[in-house]
Amino acid sequence: MATIDLIIIAVYLIGIFAVGYYLKGYVDNFNDFMIANSRMGIALGVASMAGTELGLITVMYNAQKGVSGLFAAFHIGLIAFIVTLAVGLSGFVIAKLRELKVKSIPEFYKIRYGENVRVWGALFLVFGGILNMGLFLKVGALFLQGVFGGMSVDISIIMLCLLALVLFYTMMGGMMSVIITDYIQFVVLSIGLIASTFIIVSKMGGLDAVFSYVQASKGTSAFSPVSNSEFGYSYIIWMVILGFVSCVVWPTSATRALAMKDVDSVKKQYIWSSISFLIRFMIPCFLGILAYIYIDSHDIVINSQEISLDNSDDKLKAMPILLSQVLPVGILGLVVAGMLAAFMSTHDSYLLCWSTIITNDIISPLSKEKLSSDRKIYISRIIILLLGIYILYWGLFYEGSDDIWDYLAITGSVYFSGAISLIIFGVYSKFANSYGAYASLFCGLISLLGLGPLKEYLNIDMSGAVIGIITLVTSAFAMLIGSFYGNILSNNKRELV
């Protein structure tokens, strides 16, 4: 990497930190820290949601899907676009939540099912969410190793340095700084990725050459998700579920919606964000396809080891390796700066989300005395530090062969399998009650069987997508049966009285 690239990266990161520090002065209370006091406009809301969802982890796992699934993987982005657009046009679920003026999904649980369900729901949310972000730090370190040509620095040192950057930044300004820097990061990274795509395609001989190489290499399976061994019908159904989850049920997206100033703004936010949900998958996935072509047609050796597309870590490094070897000076620095900012953007969003939910929906309800805003912010910052230590540990010691996207889907399913039932039945039905809510939440633990190490240990011959669908169906069934039982008990109590 040339000196000019390093200068661009340094200047950009210093600027991001300066903005975050400046916005620290705008945090007056816990509502400001958690959801920017629900005063975000449409343009900023769309960019903030896009910025959060276009993190380094997103670019890396989408590129990895491009390397392994090629053009057939495009169906994931297309499904996300259609589902998000439908939610925006209809206001399904999210408009109702915004009308209630809640700050988080567990706050809705309290209104609909009671305080205890709120606490348990928050526990499952945090457990699934913390597991979900466990590999973010490692993926960021692998990106740097790839883009800097296999730097010889131990990955644990890289992870520790990245973590220090993220923790310092996140604890400063809360949601206010997250939103503004999301905006900046989204613009810079979008320009960098689009420019990179055009440059690399041009150097590879144009789109015709790209399609021809993939066709000759993999045939029809490279274009059809049905015939591609990576996917299939169950995987497509699973992607429809994840499309809904990622834009409505997942707390980092829900928090952005709940920070909007009114219901109409929420709908418009989702309509416009549907385009970003499509692009945030398509461009990184396409870069992954280009990385597949480049590495498949070249002998790439880094630190005396040949890069192999049969290795999951090398698949992750494929896209940054491509960028480092093909992009011109200046453009590479801009893209890497944007990627590092995206890395911080996703981390600060997730750390802020989980820490404030733990504070607002677990510690605060269980506390014997009312916590002040300053106290809540202090507790949230301590939790952010503890979560940072966890993701460092988990990234270093978790051993699994799962694709990052599939890992994220399964770990997130611990929370969202039950949450989907609690939210949809809770918003649109009077039938659901706390008995069904508890049953549905606990069924989410079934999804842990889809994790690579557990599947191997228990010798489970079933895809993560199938296990995820089974978990979701079981959770919905448990909600119905549990609520039916709860209603019978309630009727019997009334008759006795």
Side-chain angles (χ1 to χ4, degrees), residues 422-465:
L422 267 67
I423 294 170
I424 293 178
F425 284 112
V427 167
Y428 295 105
S429 168
K430 294 181 179 180
F431 175 77
N433 55 45
S434 60
Y435 290 90
Y438 284 125
S440 185
L441 285 171
F442 278 93
C443 282
L445 294 173
I446 297 170
S447 63
L448 291 175
L449 298 175
L451 286 176
L454 273 179
K455 283 175 65 178
E456 292 175 13
Y457 180 75
L458 298 174
N459 197 27
I460 297 174
D461 186 21
M462 206 183 302
S463 70

Side-chain angles (χ1 to χ4, degrees), residues 195-363:
S196 299
T197 303
F198 278 105
I199 291 168
I200 295 169
V201 168
S202 175
K203 290 191 175 185
M204 287 188 171
L207 285 175
D208 286 342
V210 170
F211 283 111
S212 297
Y213 190 96
V214 172
Q215 175 69 43
S217 176
K218 295 291 184 178
T220 307
S221 65
F223 301 91
S224 170
V226 174
S227 59
N228 192 304
S229 60
E230 285 277 323
F231 308 118
Y233 288 109
S234 62
Y235 196 90
I236 294 171
I237 295 170
W238 185 226
M239 290 306 102
V240 174
I241 295 167
L242 291 181
F244 175 74
V245 167
S246 62
C247 71
V248 173
V249 179
W250 199 242
T252 48
S253 296
T255 301
R256 293 300 187 283
L258 299 176
M260 299 298 289
K261 61 184 179 181
D262 53 45
V263 171
D264 186 57
S265 296
V266 171
K267 290 183 179 180
K268 290 177 180 177
Q269 178 193 36
Y270 272 73
I271 290 170
W272 287 105
S273 292
S274 64
I275 300 171
S276 71
F277 272 71
L278 175 67
I279 294 172
R280 68 140 181 169
F281 186 88
M282 292 296 193
I283 293 179
C285 185
F286 188 58
L287 284 172
I289 295 168
L290 298 177
Y292 165 82
I293 294 171
Y294 184 80
I295 292 175
D296 191 59
S297 58
H298 294 78
D299 294 324
I300 309 295
V301 178
I302 295 178
N303 290 340
S304 303
Q305 292 186 336
E306 185 174 354
I307 298 297
S308 170
L309 294 177
D310 294 326
N311 181 286
S312 59
D313 278 359
D314 284 352
K315 283 182 182 178
L316 264 177
K317 291 180 184 178
M319 183 270 297
I321 289 172
L322 170 72
L323 298 180
S324 69
Q325 300 206 8
V326 176
L327 290 185
V329 172
I331 297 294
L332 178 59
L334 181 67
V335 172
V336 173
M339 291 284 196
L340 287 175
F343 171 84
M344 291 197 303
S345 172
T346 302
H347 271 78
D348 60 25
S349 294
Y350 275 72
L351 288 169
L352 184 67
C353 179
W354 304 136
S355 65
T356 52
I357 285 174
I358 292 171
T359 302
N360 189 64
D361 299 303
I362 299 176
I363 295 176

Side-chain angles (χ1 to χ4, degrees), residues 130-150:
I130 290 174
L131 270 179
N132 187 261
M133 72 175 299
L135 297 183
F136 284 18
L137 197 59
K138 180 178 180 180
V139 170
L142 288 172
F143 169 79
L144 288 180
Q145 277 194 330
V147 83
F148 280 95

Side-chain angles (χ1 to χ4, degrees), residues 98-116:
R98 182 62 189 86
E99 285 175 357
L100 292 171
K101 297 182 180 180
V102 294
K103 294 193 292 292
S104 65
I105 299 294
E107 275 198 10
F108 167 73
Y109 294 164
K110 175 186 176 181
I111 294 171
R112 185 62 178 80
Y113 303 106
E115 190 73 80
N116 289 335

Side-chain angles (χ1 to χ4, degrees), residues 51-73:
T52 299
E53 299 303 324
L54 187 64
L56 177 58
I57 182 74
T58 314
V59 175
M60 290 288 278
Y61 71 62
N62 284 332
Q64 186 184 38
K65 273 299 177 191
V67 172
S68 58
L70 300 171
F71 287 102

